């Protein structure tokens, strides 16, 4: 793995990953999280299974990777937050608005993401307390989840806890410690997922799940499959809101941006695909509906643990690791608005972190009540498409897609492919697949995203 040193701290008030921690680890920490294990399987389940997976992989390669290279190049070149970066490259232009959208998106995503992250902590505690020791059916696991999320105090309390954890890490500048940890913990997560996938695939009746997940059924293709595949690719890779601009601002000129981005995309996709291999065989073996939505992972995983020797130890391990994976992502989400207020408005880091943390917590409350605690919020847009789903689609799909569209235009036409190439080729680095990148960033990315968004606007079929 790429292990070059990071640029020494340029401006201590901004904070940075301490040196010697590989950028790939930090960026993979941002990318790998609930997006892979919670969001990917349920979105795939709602959008036709295998056909979604194939389109998703295409989007990771043809849109995700090129946009990631662009964001990293912009960040490393300017060593700034998204707003500052656009301002520096094109002062007095409207480009900074795209950076601003990223800052808002960071808070928007964090507000509902921390709710689900809080649930992973709650589930860790529940498993340790033996709440799942005697479950016999997936229906029972479903009931446990429903009564758990129906309690407003628990949901809001866990949201508060997770935002607090994120705030403490970002404020204390201990991100480096977290990254060092996650270097050890993430391979363990990978290993546990492999073991769980084996258990899941060997359950009686699992074949149907494998067929659903791996054998494309083209009749299930709809245009919303495209919207969600695009949104999911950007969400999972932390793209379209400047996270990778912010992280790129800490990479050394010695690093090859293309291979670094390639590693991040590869590991992120690997974990997501594996999560699907855990989820779908078990889901079909237990006769559940693959389109069950956000609760899927919380119902399916405990049902698998119940069928494994030592399953509860496994279960506790998985949910703990999931919480850590979520934390390395929430850190990166909070870092974008914090870096913005510190750089552009001269706020003290502490003030920026506390204020942004408070805003996030308050914004997260309706999402925390949207999985059963409050009837109106639970069915906010339509039956069972609540406020959390709304925020997830709004910020997790649309904001990121709009952001990625403009970042592609910026890299492809405004700042220009030569400038990006120049940045990638610093210190003799080779720009692998350069022509493919140029073609993709100038034509494929903007066109594909535009067509998808235009279609959505045309049909008015937003959710
Ligand atoms: N990529 C993260 C995940 O999959 C979520 C995220 C999105 C983080 C956007 C930062 C920016 O869990």
């Amino acid at each position: 793995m790429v292990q070059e040193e990071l640029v020494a701290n340029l401006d201590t008030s901004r904070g940075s990953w301490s040196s010697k921690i590989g950028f790939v680890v930090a960026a993979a920490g941002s990318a790998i999280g609930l997006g892979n294990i919670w969001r990917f399987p349920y979105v795939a389940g709602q959008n036709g299974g295998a056909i979604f997976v194939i389109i998703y992989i295409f989007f990771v390669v043809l849109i995700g990777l090129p946009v990631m290279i662009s964001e990293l190049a912009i960040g490393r070149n300017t060593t700034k937050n998204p707003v500052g970066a656009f301002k520096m490259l094109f002062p007095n232009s409207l480009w900074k608005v795209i950076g601003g959208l990223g800052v808002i998106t960071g808070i928007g995503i964090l507000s509902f993401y921390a709710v689900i992250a809080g649930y992973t902590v709650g589930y860790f505690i529940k498993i340790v307390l033996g709440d799942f020791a005697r479950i016999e059916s997936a229906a029972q696991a479903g009931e446990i989840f429903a009564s758990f999320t129906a309690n407003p105090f628990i949901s809001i309390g866990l949201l508060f806890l997770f935002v607090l954890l994120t705030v403490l890490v970002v404020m204390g500048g201990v991100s480096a410690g977290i990254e060092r940890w996650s270097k050890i913990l993430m391979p363990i997560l990978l290993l546990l997922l492999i073991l769980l996938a084996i258990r899941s695939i060997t359950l009686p009746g699992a074949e149907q799940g494998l067929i659903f997940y791996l054998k494309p059924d083209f009749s299930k293709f709809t245009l919303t499959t495209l919207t969600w595949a695009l949104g999911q690719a950007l969400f999972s890779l932390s793209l379209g809101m400047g996270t990778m601009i912010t992280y790129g601002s800490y990479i050394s000129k010695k690093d090859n941006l293309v291979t670094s981005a390639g590693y991040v995309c590869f590991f992120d996709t690997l974990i997501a695909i594996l999560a699907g291999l855990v989820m779908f065989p078990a889901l079909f073996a237990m006769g559940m509906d693959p389109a069950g939505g956000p609760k899927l992972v919380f119902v399916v995983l405990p049902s698998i643990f119940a069928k494994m020797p030592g399953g509860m130890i496994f279960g506790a391990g998985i949910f703990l690791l999931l919480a850590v994976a979520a934390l390395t992502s929430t850190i990166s989400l909070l870092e974008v608005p914090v870096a913005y207020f510190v750089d552009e408005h001269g706020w003290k880091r502490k003030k920026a972190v506390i204020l942004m943390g408070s805003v996030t917590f308050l914004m997260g409350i309706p999402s925390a009540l949207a999985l059963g605690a409050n009837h109106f919020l639970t069915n906010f847009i339509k039956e069972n498409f609540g406020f959390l789903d709304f925020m997830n689609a709004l910020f997790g799909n649309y904001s990121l897609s709009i952001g990625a569209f403009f970042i592609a235009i910026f890299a492809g036409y405004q700042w220009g492919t030569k400038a990006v190439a120049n940045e990638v080729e610093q210190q003799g680095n080779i720009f692998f697949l350069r022509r493919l990148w140029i073609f993709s960033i100038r034509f494929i990315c903007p066109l594909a995203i535009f067509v998808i968004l235009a279609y959505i606007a045309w049909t008015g079929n937003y959710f």
Side-chain angles (χ1 to χ4, degrees), residues 30-36 109 113 235-239 241 243 329 332-333 400:
S30 166
I32 296 169
L34 298 174
N36 309 60
I109 292 180
Y113 196 97
F235 185 92
S236 192
L237 295 169
S238 307
L239 295 174
M241 55 160 274
T243 317
S329 302
S332 73
L333 284 162
L400 294 183

Side-chain angles (χ1 to χ4, degrees), residues 36-37 40-41 56 213 236 267-277:
N36 309 60
I37 294 165
F40 176 80
Y56 174 80
Y213 186 49
S236 192
F267 282 111
D268 188 73
T269 307
L270 180 71
I271 300 267
I273 298 291
L274 209 55
L277 277 179

